[in-house]
């Protein structure tokens, strides 16, 4: 069973849901009407945070699960939790100013690379056995 990895997956999905709600709130606050995706800097940052989170999820979630299957649940969940924390740091920084998104992006990017590289390495090692 992969309880910890499942929990981190659910946390990632919950965070993504939060970013979607944040876009809706930002639309109301800034007056950007549907279907526009630009018009006010605060809205545009909220929209990009949500879109960027969505762009990373198909990279992170399969790598997270493959890492858990081939290496271990606890380690995968730990790295996955770092990814979620990185996304939160990214959200906080980018919400304030686009120039402040870097640290969170770096944290989540390194976690994603660790999950992908770990899963790839484990799969290749198993194939070589």
């Amino acid at each position: 069973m992969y309880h910890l990895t499942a929990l981190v997956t659910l946390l990632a999905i919950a965070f993504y849901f939060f970013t979607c709600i944040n876009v809706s709130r930002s639309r109301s606050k800034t007056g950007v009407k549907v279907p526009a995706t630009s018009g006010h800097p605060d809205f545009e940052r909220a929209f990009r945070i949500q879109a960027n989170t969505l762009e990373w999820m198909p990279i992170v979630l399969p790598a997270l699960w493959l890492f858990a299957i081939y290496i271990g649940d606890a380690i995968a969940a730990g790295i996955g939790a770092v990814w979620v924390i990185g996304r939160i740091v990214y959200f906080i920084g980018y919400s304030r100013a686009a120039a402040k998104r870097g640290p969170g992006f770096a944290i989540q990017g390194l976690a994603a690379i660790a999950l992908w590289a770990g899963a790839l390495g484990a799969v290749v090692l198993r194939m070589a056995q």
Side-chain angles (χ1 to χ4, degrees), residues 1-8 64-65 67-80:
M1 297 299 270
Y2 301 94
H3 300 300
L4 297 174
T5 300
L7 181 60
V8 169
L64 172 69
W65 279 93
F67 192 107
I69 291 164
Y70 281 89
I71 295 174
D73 181 44
I75 298 169
I79 299 170

Side-chain angles (χ1 to χ4, degrees), residues 63-116:
L64 172 69
W65 279 93
L66 290 168
F67 192 107
I69 291 164
Y70 281 89
I71 295 174
D73 181 44
I75 298 169
I79 299 170
V82 169
W83 184 82
V84 173
I85 291 165
R87 293 312 304 179
I88 293 168
V89 172
Y90 179 84
F91 173 87
I92 292 167
Y94 205 169
S95 293
R96 293 181 180 153
K100 295 183 178 187
R101 72 190 190 280
F105 189 84
I107 293 166
Q108 67 89 42
L110 290 172
I113 290 167
L115 289 168
W116 183 85

